[in-house]
Amino acid sequence: MTNAIIRAQPPLDFIPERFHPWVRRFVKVALPGWVRWQTDLVNIKVSNAEVLAQLYGDFQAGKNRFAIAFRHPAPEDAYGLAHLLWHVVPQSAKQLGINLQPVHSHFIYDRGIPLWAGNWVGKLCSRLGGVSIQRGKLDLVALKSARQLLANGRFPLAAAPEGGNNGHNEIVSPLEPGVSQLSFWCVEDLVKAERTEPVYIVPIGIQYRYINPPWDAIDHLLSQLETRSGIAGSSKKFMPPVELPTAQITNLYGRLYRLAEHLLTLMEGYYQQIYGLECPNGEAADANAQLATRLQHLLNGALDVAEKYFDLRPKGSVIDRCRRLEQAGWERIFREDLRDDMAISAVERGLADRIAEEADLRMWHMRLVESFVAVTGRYVLEKPTAERFAETVLLLTDMVTRLQGGNPFPRPSLGKREALLTVGEPICVSDRWSDYKQSRRKAVAALTKDLQGALEALIVDSGE
C-alpha cells in the first residue's frame, strides 16, 4: 500500500540534536545484525581511512573543524558511514599511533524521513546527534543549529550535498550549496571568536557492487515489469547502436530500452490527455538521445502540473523545483493551526483534510520526477555493467510501483552487494576566506563546484 496522506496534521517542528552516548553504543552493537537482517550488504570496503583518522586526531586535539560531505546513491549509505566512523577509522588511527576518543559525527537529515520511516527514527536520529532540516525552504532554525555544531559541536558534521539519494553509483547529482555555505559560516564564526583552527570539507565517495553479477535476477525483474506493463511476449526489438559484449547483454538492453520507451509513451499519453502536455516531434538519429529528450520533456511537464496547482513559478534546476514543491505540499498538510492545543470545528477539519489529500496527490508528480533526476538515456549503453543495468531496472521498478499506487520501498533485492567507501583529500575552506569576503555567492559557488569535482573523482570504475 502507498503511504498516502488523507488527513491534515500538526506542523513539522524542528527536531533538535540531543546526543546520548549510550544510544551510540547501543546502535554500534546492534547495527551489524540489523544490516544482515534488513539489507543485502555482506561487506563494506574502505579506502584512505587514514585521512579521516588524522583529521579526527587533530579535531579531538582542538586543531581543526571539518564537515564530512558524502555521496548519497542509496538508502543504505548510513550503514557504510557508521561502519567507517565506528570501526575503520579507530582501527586506522591505532595503526598510525593516534589515540582517539570515540569517533562519531553530528549529521543533517531530511525532516521528511520520520514521516515514512516512523517517528521513532526521528527520535533515534536526534539521540545520535542528528539535526533535522526541511529541504524546500530556508529552515533558519535547522541552519542555525547546524552552524553551531560545525563550529562548536562535540563532533564533526556530516551531510549529503546531493540532498537525496539518486539511485546511481556513477553519477553525482548537482550539489546543493548548503555544505559549502555552512563551512564558510564556520570559518566566519571562528574568525569572530579569534580562533585559529582551519576548516575542512572531507569528500567521501560511496558506491555498491554486486558480489556476483545478478544477470538472472535482472532478467527476472525485467520479465515482471514487462508483464505488469502489458508488453510481455511482444516481438518488437531494439538493436543498440553499438556492439555490446555478449548476446545476453544485447538482449537485455533491447528489452530494457523497449520497456523504457513503452512506459514513456504511456506517461506521455497520460499527461497529454489529462493535462494537455505537448509532446516533442521529430526523430533523432540516435534513438537513445531521442528517448532522453522525451524523458526530460515529460519530467518538466510533470513538474509544471504540480507547480500550477501550488501556484509556483518554474525556477531553478529540477532539484530546486522538486524541493519547492515538497515544501508547498507540506505547508498544506502540516499546518500551524492544527497544533494539539488548538481546536477547529468538524467542518473546518474536513476541509483541512481535503486540502491535505489534494496536496499529497499533486506531490505525486514531484515524487515521480525525483526518481529520474539523474537519468541520462545513455548510462547503460556507455558501460553495460550489471550494476548499471540493475540501477536502471530498479528505477523503472520504482516508477511502475508508483503508477500502480504502491510504495517503491523497500526495493527488491537482486543479489548480495558490497559497499565501497573512498575518503577523498580534504578541501581547506579557510584558504578561501579572502575570496568569500570579496563575494560570498561566487565563493560558495566555486567551493560547491570543486566539491562536485572531488566527489566525481572518487567514483570507482565498475567495469567487469
Side-chain angles (χ1 to χ4, degrees):
M1 293 293 290
T2 184
N3 293 332
I5 296 175
I6 60 174
R7 288 182 62 81
Q9 300 172 40
L12 288 176
D13 290 331
F14 171 68
I15 303 176
E17 175 270 330
R18 293 194 177 97
F19 176 73
H20 285 283
W22 67 265
V23 175
R24 174 192 173 277
R25 290 194 294 269
F26 173 79
V27 175
K28 180 181 177 181
V29 172
L31 191 63
W34 177 269
V35 170
R36 288 192 297 270
W37 176 42
Q38 290 290 318
T39 77
D40 54 22
L41 293 178
V42 296
N43 191 26
I44 299 174
K45 294 182 178 179
V46 177
S47 299
N48 302 333
E50 62 275 6
V51 173
L52 264 183
Q54 185 65 60
L55 281 169
Y56 264 98
D58 290 343
F59 179 92
Q60 293 182 2
K63 297 179 180 179
N64 71 29
R65 307 295 299 183
F66 68 91
I68 296 172
F70 61 92
R71 273 234 52 212
H72 198 9
E76 296 87 357
D77 298 338
Y79 304 137
L81 287 168
H83 179 76
L84 168 65
L85 297 183
W86 295 345
H87 298 283
V88 180
V89 169
Q91 292 171 1
S92 181
K94 186 176 181 180
Q95 293 172 357
L96 294 172
I98 301 172
N99 185 25
L100 292 182
Q101 299 297 316
V103 174
H104 190 59
S105 76
H106 296 292
F107 56 95
I108 300 174
Y109 67 98
D110 178 15
R111 180 60 180 84
I113 290 177
L115 298 180
W116 56 264
N119 289 332
W120 68 272
V121 174
K123 296 178 181 178
L124 178 63
C125 287
S126 172
R127 286 158 178 77
L128 281 173
V131 176
S132 73
I133 191 168
Q134 294 190 39
R135 302 178 299 176
K137 72 172 186 177
L138 186 61
D139 193 340
L140 295 176
V141 176
L143 289 174
K144 182 179 179 180
S145 178
R147 178 174 181 170
Q148 191 279 330
L149 287 173
L150 185 53
N152 303 296
R154 181 175 176 178
F155 310 108
L157 179 69
E162 290 171 282
N165 70 77
N166 72 356
H168 285 82
N169 273 313
E170 298 180 69
I171 296 179
V172 180
S173 293
L175 303 190
E176 298 178 3
V179 173
S180 298
Q181 181 61 76
L182 283 169
S183 299
F184 276 121
W185 281 341
C186 183
V187 176
E188 182 177 7
D189 292 341
L190 297 184
V191 169
K192 287 181 179 179
E194 298 182 350
R195 292 164 54 185
T196 60
E197 306 101 298
V199 178
Y200 299 95
I201 297 178
V202 186
I204 296 183
I206 302 179
Q207 292 174 251
Y208 299 89
R209 181 176 296 163
Y210 288 95
I211 302 299
N212 297 303
W215 293 115
D216 290 342
I218 293 171
D219 182 286
H220 180 67
L221 184 55
L222 259 179
S223 297
Q224 290 183 336
L225 294 176
E226 288 167 340
T227 299
R228 293 163 67 183
S229 304
I231 61 173
S234 171
S235 60
K236 182 181 178 181
K237 295 186 180 297
F238 172 81
M239 292 303 297
V242 298
E243 183 177 351
L244 296 177
T246 67
Q248 180 193 32
I249 292 178
T250 300
N251 176 61
L252 283 175
Y253 185 81
R255 292 169 60 196
L256 181 63
Y257 180 93
R258 181 184 65 178
L259 175 63
E261 199 277 336
H262 176 74
L263 290 172
L264 184 56
T265 300
L266 288 177
M267 293 305 298
E268 287 174 335
Y270 165 73
Y271 279 100
Q272 187 175 41
Q273 178 183 3
I274 304 302
Y275 300 106
L277 175 68
E278 295 184 4
C279 299
N281 296 319
E283 292 291 334
D286 185 341
N288 290 275
Q290 176 69 10
L291 197 69
T293 299
R294 290 170 60 192
L295 175 61
Q296 294 307 310
H297 184 80
L298 177 66
L299 297 183
N300 184 70
L303 288 178
D304 185 60
V305 167
E307 286 166 340
K308 286 179 178 177
Y309 176 79
F310 289 113
D311 195 25
L312 296 174
R313 291 175 54 195
K315 181 181 178 181
S317 67
V318 171
I319 294 176
D320 293 335
R321 295 167 69 185
C322 286
R323 296 291 178 266
R324 285 200 303 275
L325 283 168
E326 181 179 61
Q327 188 59 37
W330 280 7
E331 288 173 357
R332 299 192 184 196
I333 296 169
F334 304 98
R335 295 171 39 166
E336 188 67 33
D337 59 343
L338 295 178
R339 288 192 176 276
D340 294 339
D341 59 349
M342 301 181 69
I344 61 174
S345 69
V347 171
E348 288 174 314
R349 159 57 73 177
L351 288 174
D353 290 344
R354 177 64 177 170
I355 291 170
E357 185 176 13
E358 289 190 355
D360 185 59
L361 287 172
R362 300 295 176 165
M363 289 170 71
W364 177 89
H365 301 281
M366 180 271 294
R367 298 298 181 204
L368 191 67
V369 171
E370 274 189 322
S371 299
F372 291 87
V373 164
V375 173
T376 66
R378 299 186 62 85
Y379 184 63
V380 176
L381 192 63
E382 291 170 350
K383 192 186 296 182
T385 60
E387 279 74 19
R388 292 197 176 196
F389 265 99
E391 291 166 28
T392 306
V393 172
L394 287 171
L395 284 174
L396 292 177
T397 304
D398 294 347
M399 179 183 185
V400 169
T401 303
R402 289 189 189 279
L403 293 178
Q404 292 185 288
N407 185 345
F409 299 102
R411 284 172 152 187
S413 173
L414 297 180
K416 298 298 183 181
R417 297 180 299 161
E418 63 180 6
L420 310 175
L421 278 71
T422 306
V423 180
E425 288 301 313
I427 300 172
C428 184
V429 184
S430 299
D431 289 347
R432 302 167 182 246
W433 176 239
S434 60
D435 296 336
Y436 184 75
K437 288 190 293 183
Q438 291 179 5
S439 174
R440 296 190 174 195
R441 179 174 297 180
K442 289 182 179 179
V444 169
L447 179 55
T448 302
K449 180 180 179 181
D450 290 346
L451 180 57
Q452 176 105 28
L455 289 172
E456 290 172 347
L458 295 176
I459 293 175
V460 179
D461 188 357
S462 66
E464 298 164 8

